[in-house]
Amino acid sequence: QVQLVESGGGSVQAGGSLSLSCAVSGNTYRYNCMGWFRQSPGKAREGVARISTSSGYTSYGDSVKGRFTISRDKAKNTMTLHMNNLTPEDTAMYYCSTDRDSGGSVCGAFFSSFSSSFRSWGQGTQVTVSS
């Protein structure tokens, strides 16, 4: 099992910044892809950012490219999402997630394939951006 605990959510004005952190514990064999999703009421879950633990490859959803940065601290077993230039459209519950072998060394299926028994989720942290 993999346990994920998010922190760092909160309220910020448009144009501001926030950093989310995800503490990862458990069997490291069970993941080599890590990332963040978000979901707001009435909207579908959206892949925000992902990172491959083997290659270091990162990728972002179109709506956050150039504003969000994902990183991983292997020694501390944490994953961070730095969010800049936030807009009200970024308001959502943010979830960290891990999976194994989700689309090769670039984790190409991480945003779209959720059937794996290795998929794990955190409980979520709320981000609210006011205009």
Short mmCIF file of all heavy atoms in Angstrom, two decimals, residues 37-97:
data_model
loop_
_atom_site.label_atom_id
_atom_site.label_comp_id
_atom_site.label_asym_id
_atom_site.label_seq_id
_atom_site.Cartn_x
_atom_site.Cartn_y
_atom_site.Cartn_z
N PHE A 37 -3.91 15.81 -9.54
CA PHE A 37 -5.18 16.00 -10.22
C PHE A 37 -5.96 17.06 -9.47
O PHE A 37 -5.67 17.38 -8.33
CB PHE A 37 -5.99 14.70 -10.24
CG PHE A 37 -5.41 13.63 -11.10
CD1 PHE A 37 -4.35 12.84 -10.65
CD2 PHE A 37 -5.92 13.36 -12.37
CE1 PHE A 37 -3.81 11.84 -11.43
CE2 PHE A 37 -5.39 12.36 -13.16
CZ PHE A 37 -4.34 11.60 -12.69
N ARG A 38 -6.97 17.59 -10.12
CA ARG A 38 -7.88 18.50 -9.44
C ARG A 38 -9.30 18.27 -9.93
O ARG A 38 -9.52 17.78 -11.02
CB ARG A 38 -7.46 19.95 -9.65
CG ARG A 38 -7.60 20.46 -11.07
CD ARG A 38 -7.02 21.88 -11.17
NE ARG A 38 -7.21 22.45 -12.50
CZ ARG A 38 -6.70 23.61 -12.87
NH1 ARG A 38 -5.97 24.34 -12.02
NH2 ARG A 38 -6.91 24.07 -14.10
N GLN A 39 -10.23 18.63 -9.07
CA GLN A 39 -11.63 18.51 -9.44
C GLN A 39 -12.43 19.55 -8.70
O GLN A 39 -12.27 19.73 -7.49
CB GLN A 39 -12.17 17.11 -9.12
CG GLN A 39 -13.55 16.86 -9.68
CD GLN A 39 -13.94 15.39 -9.63
OE1 GLN A 39 -13.39 14.61 -8.85
NE2 GLN A 39 -14.89 15.00 -10.47
N SER A 40 -13.27 20.25 -9.43
CA SER A 40 -14.18 21.22 -8.84
C SER A 40 -15.61 20.73 -9.08
O SER A 40 -15.86 19.92 -9.97
CB SER A 40 -13.95 22.61 -9.44
OG SER A 40 -14.02 22.56 -10.83
N PRO A 41 -16.55 21.22 -8.28
CA PRO A 41 -17.94 20.74 -8.39
C PRO A 41 -18.49 20.87 -9.81
O PRO A 41 -18.38 21.93 -10.43
CB PRO A 41 -18.69 21.64 -7.41
CG PRO A 41 -17.67 22.01 -6.40
CD PRO A 41 -16.39 22.16 -7.17
N GLY A 42 -19.07 19.80 -10.30
CA GLY A 42 -19.69 19.82 -11.61
C GLY A 42 -18.73 19.65 -12.77
O GLY A 42 -19.15 19.65 -13.93
N LYS A 43 -17.45 19.49 -12.46
CA LYS A 43 -16.45 19.33 -13.52
C LYS A 43 -15.77 17.97 -13.40
O LYS A 43 -15.69 17.39 -12.32
CB LYS A 43 -15.42 20.44 -13.45
CG LYS A 43 -15.97 21.83 -13.78
CD LYS A 43 -14.85 22.85 -13.88
CE LYS A 43 -15.39 24.21 -14.27
NZ LYS A 43 -14.30 25.22 -14.38
N ALA A 44 -15.24 17.51 -14.51
CA ALA A 44 -14.52 16.25 -14.52
C ALA A 44 -13.15 16.40 -13.87
O ALA A 44 -12.59 17.50 -13.82
CB ALA A 44 -14.35 15.76 -15.96
N ARG A 45 -12.66 15.30 -13.35
CA ARG A 45 -11.30 15.30 -12.80
C ARG A 45 -10.30 15.65 -13.90
O ARG A 45 -10.40 15.17 -15.02
CB ARG A 45 -11.00 13.93 -12.22
CG ARG A 45 -9.61 13.75 -11.66
CD ARG A 45 -9.51 12.41 -10.92
NE ARG A 45 -9.95 11.33 -11.76
CZ ARG A 45 -10.24 10.10 -11.30
NH1 ARG A 45 -10.14 9.86 -10.00
NH2 ARG A 45 -10.64 9.14 -12.11
N GLU A 46 -9.34 16.46 -13.56
CA GLU A 46 -8.37 16.96 -14.54
C GLU A 46 -6.95 16.64 -14.09
O GLU A 46 -6.59 16.92 -12.95
CB GLU A 46 -8.54 18.47 -14.69
CG GLU A 46 -7.55 19.13 -15.62
CD GLU A 46 -7.67 20.65 -15.62
OE1 GLU A 46 -8.41 21.19 -14.76
OE2 GLU A 46 -7.02 21.29 -16.46
N GLY A 47 -6.17 16.08 -14.98
CA GLY A 47 -4.76 15.87 -14.71
C GLY A 47 -4.02 17.19 -14.74
O GLY A 47 -4.11 17.91 -15.73
N VAL A 48 -3.29 17.50 -13.69
CA VAL A 48 -2.61 18.79 -13.59
C VAL A 48 -1.13 18.66 -13.93
O VAL A 48 -0.61 19.42 -14.75
CB VAL A 48 -2.78 19.35 -12.17
CG1 VAL A 48 -1.97 20.63 -12.00
CG2 VAL A 48 -4.25 19.61 -11.86
N ALA A 49 -0.45 17.73 -13.29
CA ALA A 49 0.99 17.57 -13.51
C ALA A 49 1.39 16.15 -13.13
O ALA A 49 0.79 15.55 -12.25
CB ALA A 49 1.78 18.58 -12.67
N ARG A 50 2.41 15.65 -13.81
CA ARG A 50 2.91 14.32 -13.48
C ARG A 50 4.42 14.29 -13.60
O ARG A 50 5.02 15.11 -14.31
CB ARG A 50 2.28 13.26 -14.40
CG ARG A 50 2.71 13.34 -15.85
CD ARG A 50 2.04 12.23 -16.67
NE ARG A 50 2.63 12.08 -17.99
CZ ARG A 50 2.08 12.56 -19.10
NH1 ARG A 50 0.96 13.23 -19.05
NH2 ARG A 50 2.67 12.34 -20.26
N ILE A 51 5.02 13.33 -12.90
CA ILE A 51 6.47 13.17 -12.94
C ILE A 51 6.80 11.69 -12.87
O ILE A 51 6.16 10.93 -12.13
CB ILE A 51 7.16 13.95 -11.80
CG1 ILE A 51 8.68 13.86 -11.89
CG2 ILE A 51 6.67 13.47 -10.43
CD1 ILE A 51 9.40 14.83 -10.97
N SER A 52 7.76 11.28 -13.65
CA SER A 52 8.25 9.90 -13.63
C SER A 52 9.40 9.81 -12.64
O SER A 52 10.35 10.59 -12.70
CB SER A 52 8.74 9.49 -15.02
OG SER A 52 9.49 8.29 -14.94
N THR A 53 9.33 8.85 -11.72
CA THR A 53 10.41 8.72 -10.74
C THR A 53 11.65 8.10 -11.36
O THR A 53 12.74 8.25 -10.81
CB THR A 53 9.96 7.86 -9.56
OG1 THR A 53 9.66 6.54 -10.03
CG2 THR A 53 8.73 8.43 -8.88
N SER A 54 11.50 7.43 -12.49
CA SER A 54 12.66 6.80 -13.11
C SER A 54 13.39 7.75 -14.05
O SER A 54 14.62 7.86 -14.02
CB SER A 54 12.23 5.55 -13.88
OG SER A 54 11.28 5.89 -14.87
N SER A 55 12.65 8.46 -14.88
CA SER A 55 13.28 9.34 -15.87
C SER A 55 13.31 10.80 -15.44
O SER A 55 14.06 11.60 -16.01
CB SER A 55 12.55 9.23 -17.21
OG SER A 55 11.24 9.77 -17.11
N GLY A 56 12.47 11.17 -14.49
CA GLY A 56 12.34 12.57 -14.11
C GLY A 56 11.50 13.38 -15.07
O GLY A 56 11.33 14.59 -14.91
N TYR A 57 10.94 12.72 -16.06
CA TYR A 57 10.11 13.40 -17.06
C TYR A 57 8.91 14.04 -16.38
O TYR A 57 8.27 13.43 -15.52
CB TYR A 57 9.65 12.41 -18.10
CG TYR A 57 8.72 12.98 -19.14
CD1 TYR A 57 9.22 13.60 -20.29
CD2 TYR A 57 7.34 12.91 -18.98
CE1 TYR A 57 8.38 14.12 -21.25
CE2 TYR A 57 6.48 13.43 -19.92
CZ TYR A 57 7.01 14.03 -21.06
OH TYR A 57 6.17 14.55 -22.00
N THR A 58 8.60 15.26 -16.76
CA THR A 58 7.42 15.94 -16.24
C THR A 58 6.51 16.37 -17.38
O THR A 58 6.96 16.62 -18.51
CB THR A 58 7.80 17.19 -15.42
OG1 THR A 58 8.52 18.11 -16.26
CG2 THR A 58 8.66 16.82 -14.22
N SER A 59 5.24 16.46 -17.08
CA SER A 59 4.27 16.91 -18.06
C SER A 59 3.13 17.60 -17.34
O SER A 59 2.87 17.32 -16.17
CB SER A 59 3.75 15.73 -18.89
OG SER A 59 2.86 16.17 -19.89
N TYR A 60 2.47 18.52 -18.05
CA TYR A 60 1.45 19.34 -17.43
C TYR A 60 0.19 19.39 -18.27
O TYR A 60 0.23 19.29 -19.51
CB TYR A 60 1.99 20.76 -17.23
CG TYR A 60 3.20 20.82 -16.35
CD1 TYR A 60 4.48 20.67 -16.88
CD2 TYR A 60 3.07 20.96 -14.97
CE1 TYR A 60 5.60 20.70 -16.05
CE2 TYR A 60 4.18 20.99 -14.15
CZ TYR A 60 5.43 20.85 -14.70
OH TYR A 60 6.54 20.86 -13.88
N GLY A 61 -0.93 19.60 -17.59
CA GLY A 61 -2.15 19.86 -18.30
C GLY A 61 -2.08 21.19 -19.02
O GLY A 61 -1.39 22.12 -18.57
N ASP A 62 -2.79 21.32 -20.12
CA ASP A 62 -2.70 22.53 -20.94
C ASP A 62 -3.06 23.79 -20.15
O ASP A 62 -2.49 24.85 -20.38
CB ASP A 62 -3.63 22.40 -22.15
CG ASP A 62 -3.10 21.41 -23.18
OD1 ASP A 62 -1.89 21.10 -23.15
OD2 ASP A 62 -3.90 20.95 -24.01
N SER A 63 -4.00 23.67 -19.24
CA SER A 63 -4.48 24.85 -18.53
C SER A 63 -3.49 25.39 -17.49
O SER A 63 -3.66 26.51 -17.01
CB SER A 63 -5.81 24.54 -17.85
OG SER A 63 -5.65 23.51 -16.89
N VAL A 64 -2.45 24.61 -17.17
CA VAL A 64 -1.51 25.05 -16.14
C VAL A 64 -0.08 25.19 -16.65
O VAL A 64 0.80 25.61 -15.91
CB VAL A 64 -1.52 24.10 -14.92
CG1 VAL A 64 -2.93 23.92 -14.39
CG2 VAL A 64 -0.89 22.76 -15.26
N LYS A 65 0.14 24.86 -17.91
CA LYS A 65 1.49 24.94 -18.46
C LYS A 65 2.06 26.34 -18.32
O LYS A 65 1.38 27.33 -18.59
CB LYS A 65 1.48 24.54 -19.94
CG LYS A 65 1.38 23.05 -20.18
CD LYS A 65 1.37 22.74 -21.68
CE LYS A 65 1.24 21.25 -21.91
NZ LYS A 65 1.16 20.91 -23.35
N GLY A 66 3.29 26.40 -17.87
CA GLY A 66 3.95 27.68 -17.71
C GLY A 66 3.66 28.36 -16.37
O GLY A 66 4.30 29.35 -16.03
N ARG A 67 2.70 27.82 -15.62
CA ARG A 67 2.36 28.42 -14.32
C ARG A 67 2.63 27.48 -13.16
O ARG A 67 2.95 27.94 -12.06
CB ARG A 67 0.87 28.81 -14.31
CG ARG A 67 0.48 29.81 -15.38
CD ARG A 67 -0.96 30.30 -15.19
NE ARG A 67 -1.93 29.20 -15.29
CZ ARG A 67 -2.78 28.87 -14.32
NH1 ARG A 67 -2.77 29.53 -13.17
NH2 ARG A 67 -3.64 27.89 -14.51
N PHE A 68 2.49 26.18 -13.38
CA PHE A 68 2.67 25.19 -12.32
C PHE A 68 3.96 24.41 -12.57
O PHE A 68 4.36 24.18 -13.71
CB PHE A 68 1.51 24.20 -12.30
CG PHE A 68 0.20 24.77 -11.82
CD1 PHE A 68 -0.01 26.13 -11.70
CD2 PHE A 68 -0.84 23.91 -11.49
CE1 PHE A 68 -1.22 26.64 -11.27
CE2 PHE A 68 -2.05 24.39 -11.05
CZ PHE A 68 -2.25 25.76 -10.94
N THR A 69 4.60 24.00 -11.47
CA THR A 69 5.80 23.19 -11.56
C THR A 69 5.72 22.05 -10.56
O THR A 69 5.46 22.28 -9.37
CB THR A 69 7.06 24.02 -11.26
OG1 THR A 69 7.13 25.13 -12.17
CG2 THR A 69 8.31 23.18 -11.41
N ILE A 70 5.95 20.84 -11.03
CA ILE A 70 5.96 19.67 -10.16
C ILE A 70 7.40 19.27 -9.88
O ILE A 70 8.27 19.37 -10.75
CB ILE A 70 5.18 18.49 -10.80
CG1 ILE A 70 5.02 17.34 -9.81
CG2 ILE A 70 5.84 18.03 -12.09
CD1 ILE A 70 4.09 16.23 -10.32
N SER A 71 7.63 18.84 -8.66
CA SER A 71 8.97 18.37 -8.30
C SER A 71 8.85 17.26 -7.27
O SER A 71 7.80 17.07 -6.66
CB SER A 71 9.83 19.52 -7.75
OG SER A 71 9.24 20.06 -6.58
N ARG A 72 9.96 16.56 -7.11
CA ARG A 72 9.95 15.44 -6.17
C ARG A 72 11.23 15.46 -5.38
O ARG A 72 12.32 15.70 -5.93
CB ARG A 72 9.83 14.13 -6.95
CG ARG A 72 9.88 12.88 -6.07
CD ARG A 72 10.20 11.67 -6.89
NE ARG A 72 10.32 10.48 -6.05
CZ ARG A 72 11.12 9.47 -6.29
NH1 ARG A 72 11.89 9.49 -7.38
NH2 ARG A 72 11.16 8.42 -5.50
N ASP A 73 11.12 15.21 -4.09
CA ASP A 73 12.29 15.07 -3.22
C ASP A 73 12.34 13.62 -2.79
O ASP A 73 11.59 13.20 -1.90
CB ASP A 73 12.17 16.01 -2.01
CG ASP A 73 13.44 16.03 -1.18
OD1 ASP A 73 14.11 14.98 -1.07
OD2 ASP A 73 13.76 17.10 -0.62
N LYS A 74 13.22 12.87 -3.43
CA LYS A 74 13.28 11.44 -3.17
C LYS A 74 13.69 11.16 -1.73
O LYS A 74 13.17 10.25 -1.09
CB LYS A 74 14.26 10.77 -4.14
CG LYS A 74 14.34 9.27 -4.01
CD LYS A 74 15.30 8.67 -5.03
CE LYS A 74 15.38 7.15 -4.88
NZ LYS A 74 16.32 6.57 -5.89
N ALA A 75 14.62 11.94 -1.21
CA ALA A 75 15.12 11.70 0.14
C ALA A 75 14.04 11.92 1.20
O ALA A 75 13.99 11.22 2.21
CB ALA A 75 16.31 12.61 0.42
N LYS A 76 13.18 12.89 0.95
CA LYS A 76 12.12 13.21 1.91
C LYS A 76 10.80 12.51 1.59
O LYS A 76 9.84 12.63 2.33
CB LYS A 76 11.88 14.72 1.95
CG LYS A 76 13.07 15.51 2.47
CD LYS A 76 12.75 16.99 2.52
CE LYS A 76 13.93 17.79 3.08
NZ LYS A 76 13.64 19.25 3.12
N ASN A 77 10.79 11.80 0.46
CA ASN A 77 9.55 11.13 0.03
C ASN A 77 8.39 12.10 -0.07
O ASN A 77 7.28 11.86 0.45
CB ASN A 77 9.18 9.98 0.97
CG ASN A 77 10.12 8.81 0.84
OD1 ASN A 77 10.66 8.54 -0.24
ND2 ASN A 77 10.34 8.10 1.93
N THR A 78 8.65 13.22 -0.69
CA THR A 78 7.60 14.21 -0.90
C THR A 78 7.53 14.63 -2.36
O THR A 78 8.50 14.50 -3.11
CB THR A 78 7.83 15.46 -0.04
OG1 THR A 78 9.10 16.04 -0.38
CG2 THR A 78 7.80 15.13 1.44
N MET A 79 6.39 15.13 -2.72
CA MET A 79 6.16 15.68 -4.06
C MET A 79 5.52 17.04 -3.86
O MET A 79 4.67 17.21 -2.98
CB MET A 79 5.23 14.76 -4.85
CG MET A 79 4.86 15.26 -6.21
SD MET A 79 3.86 14.05 -7.13
CE MET A 79 2.46 13.79 -6.07
N THR A 80 5.94 18.01 -4.65
CA THR A 80 5.47 19.38 -4.48
C THR A 80 4.91 19.91 -5.77
O THR A 80 5.43 19.61 -6.85
CB THR A 80 6.61 20.28 -3.98
OG1 THR A 80 7.09 19.78 -2.73
CG2 THR A 80 6.12 21.70 -3.77
N LEU A 81 3.87 20.70 -5.67
CA LEU A 81 3.30 21.40 -6.82
C LEU A 81 3.36 22.89 -6.51
O LEU A 81 2.66 23.37 -5.62
CB LEU A 81 1.86 20.96 -7.08
CG LEU A 81 1.20 21.57 -8.31
CD1 LEU A 81 1.86 21.01 -9.58
CD2 LEU A 81 -0.30 21.30 -8.32
N HIS A 82 4.22 23.59 -7.24
CA HIS A 82 4.30 25.04 -7.10
C HIS A 82 3.35 25.67 -8.11
O HIS A 82 3.47 25.40 -9.31
CB HIS A 82 5.72 25.53 -7.34
CG HIS A 82 6.71 25.01 -6.35
ND1 HIS A 82 6.78 25.46 -5.05
CD2 HIS A 82 7.68 24.06 -6.46
CE1 HIS A 82 7.75 24.82 -4.41
NE2 HIS A 82 8.31 23.97 -5.23
N MET A 83 2.47 26.52 -7.63
CA MET A 83 1.45 27.12 -8.47
C MET A 83 1.61 28.64 -8.46
O MET A 83 1.54 29.26 -7.40
CB MET A 83 0.06 26.73 -7.98
CG MET A 83 -0.14 25.22 -7.86
SD MET A 83 -1.81 24.77 -7.35
CE MET A 83 -1.83 25.40 -5.69
N ASN A 84 1.83 29.21 -9.63
CA ASN A 84 2.01 30.65 -9.76
C ASN A 84 0.91 31.24 -10.63
O ASN A 84 0.25 30.54 -11.40
CB ASN A 84 3.36 30.97 -10.39
CG ASN A 84 4.52 30.54 -9.51
OD1 ASN A 84 4.48 30.68 -8.29
ND2 ASN A 84 5.56 30.01 -10.13
N ASN A 85 0.74 32.55 -10.49
CA ASN A 85 -0.23 33.27 -11.31
C ASN A 85 -1.59 32.58 -11.30
O ASN A 85 -2.19 32.34 -12.35
CB ASN A 85 0.30 33.41 -12.75
CG ASN A 85 -0.47 34.43 -13.55
OD1 ASN A 85 -1.12 35.31 -12.98
ND2 ASN A 85 -0.40 34.31 -14.86
N LEU A 86 -2.06 32.30 -10.11
CA LEU A 86 -3.32 31.57 -9.97
C LEU A 86 -4.50 32.41 -10.42
O LEU A 86 -4.50 33.65 -10.27
CB LEU A 86 -3.50 31.14 -8.52
CG LEU A 86 -2.59 29.97 -8.09
CD1 LEU A 86 -2.48 29.91 -6.57
CD2 LEU A 86 -3.10 28.66 -8.64
N THR A 87 -5.50 31.75 -10.97
CA THR A 87 -6.74 32.39 -11.40
C THR A 87 -7.92 31.69 -10.71
O THR A 87 -7.78 30.58 -10.19
CB THR A 87 -6.91 32.29 -12.92
OG1 THR A 87 -7.26 30.94 -13.26
CG2 THR A 87 -5.64 32.69 -13.66
N PRO A 88 -9.08 32.34 -10.70
CA PRO A 88 -10.25 31.68 -10.09
C PRO A 88 -10.56 30.32 -10.72
O PRO A 88 -11.13 29.45 -10.04
CB PRO A 88 -11.37 32.69 -10.35
CG PRO A 88 -10.67 34.01 -10.37
CD PRO A 88 -9.36 33.74 -11.04
N GLU A 89 -10.17 30.12 -11.98
CA GLU A 89 -10.40 28.84 -12.64
C GLU A 89 -9.54 27.72 -12.04
O GLU A 89 -9.78 26.54 -12.32
CB GLU A 89 -10.12 28.96 -14.14
CG GLU A 89 -11.17 29.75 -14.93
CD GLU A 89 -11.16 31.24 -14.59
OE1 GLU A 89 -10.06 31.79 -14.34
OE2 GLU A 89 -12.26 31.84 -14.55
N ASP A 90 -8.56 28.06 -11.24
CA ASP A 90 -7.73 27.05 -10.58
C ASP A 90 -8.37 26.56 -9.27
O ASP A 90 -7.84 25.64 -8.64
CB ASP A 90 -6.35 27.62 -10.29
CG ASP A 90 -5.57 27.94 -11.55
OD1 ASP A 90 -5.56 27.10 -12.47
OD2 ASP A 90 -4.95 29.03 -11.61
N THR A 91 -9.46 27.17 -8.88
CA THR A 91 -10.15 26.75 -7.67
C THR A 91 -10.65 25.32 -7.81
O THR A 91 -11.37 24.99 -8.75
CB THR A 91 -11.33 27.69 -7.37
OG1 THR A 91 -10.82 29.00 -7.08
CG2 THR A 91 -12.13 27.18 -6.18
N ALA A 92 -10.25 24.46 -6.89
CA ALA A 92 -10.60 23.04 -6.96
C ALA A 92 -10.06 22.31 -5.75
O ALA A 92 -9.24 22.86 -4.99
CB ALA A 92 -10.04 22.40 -8.23
N MET A 93 -10.48 21.06 -5.60
CA MET A 93 -9.82 20.16 -4.67
C MET A 93 -8.67 19.51 -5.43
O MET A 93 -8.87 19.00 -6.54
CB MET A 93 -10.80 19.10 -4.17
CG MET A 93 -10.23 18.20 -3.08
SD MET A 93 -10.05 19.05 -1.51
CE MET A 93 -11.75 18.98 -0.95
N TYR A 94 -7.50 19.54 -4.85
CA TYR A 94 -6.32 18.99 -5.49
C TYR A 94 -5.93 17.67 -4.79
O TYR A 94 -5.87 17.61 -3.56
CB TYR A 94 -5.16 19.97 -5.41
CG TYR A 94 -5.30 21.10 -6.40
CD1 TYR A 94 -6.26 22.10 -6.24
CD2 TYR A 94 -4.48 21.18 -7.52
CE1 TYR A 94 -6.40 23.13 -7.16
CE2 TYR A 94 -4.60 22.20 -8.45
CZ TYR A 94 -5.57 23.17 -8.26
OH TYR A 94 -5.70 24.19 -9.18
N TYR A 95 -5.66 16.66 -5.61
CA TYR A 95 -5.32 15.34 -5.11
C TYR A 95 -3.96 14.91 -5.64
O TYR A 95 -3.69 15.04 -6.84
CB TYR A 95 -6.35 14.30 -5.56
CG TYR A 95 -7.77 14.59 -5.11
CD1 TYR A 95 -8.62 15.37 -5.89
CD2 TYR A 95 -8.25 14.04 -3.92
CE1 TYR A 95 -9.92 15.62 -5.48
CE2 TYR A 95 -9.55 14.28 -3.51
CZ TYR A 95 -10.37 15.07 -4.30
OH TYR A 95 -11.67 15.31 -3.88
N CYS A 96 -3.14 14.34 -4.78
CA CYS A 96 -1.94 13.71 -5.29
C CYS A 96 -2.22 12.22 -5.51
O CYS A 96 -3.11 11.65 -4.88
CB CYS A 96 -0.73 13.93 -4.38
SG CYS A 96 -0.84 13.21 -2.73
N SER A 97 -1.46 11.65 -6.39
CA SER A 97 -1.71 10.27 -6.80
C SER A 97 -0.43 9.61 -7.25
O SER A 97 0.51 10.28 -7.71
CB SER A 97 -2.73 10.25 -7.94
OG SER A 97 -3.02 8.94 -8.36
#
